[in-house]
Amino acid sequence: MASQAQVNPKRQQELQLQYSNYKNTLQQLAQKIGDIEQEAEEHKLVIETLDPLPKDRKCFRMVNGVLVERTVEDVLPSLKTNSDGLKQVLEELLKQYKSKQTDLDNWKKKNNIQVVQP
């Protein structure tokens, strides 16, 4: 308690605001990562389902809210491209998350911050 009294209230408020900003950023990144992981998993399932099918079989794909009839041969390459893109985005988001987490840890050490959970 004595160490808290030594920090002036304005400085304490600034530190709390910075901590909240770090936490919010990390939470937003985690949410995006979860969304991308879910979408990548959906792509994977669809690709696994369509792969063994004959290439001339018709299938349907939603494009900008419109259901479009295509063949497996037309749809599979774009699905694989989208899936690869999602994996790259996911890797980049994970790097950003780790970087922000490291920044937060360094900031906590620099400012001698100890988080107390109620």
Side-chain angles (χ1 to χ4, degrees):
M1 190 71 173
S3 65
Q4 240 183 7
Q6 293 173 356
V7 178
N8 84 37
K10 185 171 178 138
R11 175 74 176 144
Q12 186 176 356
Q13 192 174 19
E14 288 173 6
L15 290 173
Q16 285 178 330
L17 183 63
Q18 288 175 340
Y19 179 77
S20 295
N21 287 339
Y22 274 116
K23 282 305 214 184
N24 288 340
T25 302
L26 286 172
Q27 188 175 15
Q28 289 172 353
L29 280 172
Q31 180 65 40
K32 286 180 189 176
I33 288 169
D35 293 345
I36 298 291
E37 282 177 339
Q38 183 178 2
E39 198 169 330
E41 186 62 29
E42 288 174 7
H43 273 69
K44 180 183 162 206
L45 289 172
V46 172
I47 290 169
E48 287 173 356
T49 302
L50 292 179
D51 238 355
L53 298 177
K55 300 297 178 203
D56 60 344
R57 180 171 175 165
K58 62 176 163 170
C59 63
F60 294 88
R61 181 171 187 211
M62 186 73 73
V63 179
N64 294 328
V66 178
L67 198 58
V68 181
E69 182 179 331
R70 298 276 189 244
T71 63
V72 171
E73 184 177 29
D74 295 336
V75 171
L76 255 168
S78 62
L79 279 174
K80 289 179 180 177
T81 301
N82 288 351
S83 181
D84 292 342
L86 287 171
K87 288 176 186 173
Q88 290 175 347
V89 168
L90 185 59
E91 288 175 13
E92 186 61 37
L93 285 173
L94 286 170
K95 286 179 188 175
Q96 287 179 15
Y97 186 88
K98 288 177 184 174
S99 171
K100 288 290 181 189
Q101 184 66 48
T102 303
D103 290 348
L104 174 60
D105 292 341
N106 291 337
W107 177 82
K108 283 170 37 176
K109 286 178 188 171
K110 175 184 166 196
N111 291 294
N112 195 24
I113 303 294
Q114 294 179 351
V115 179
V116 178
Q117 297 295 333

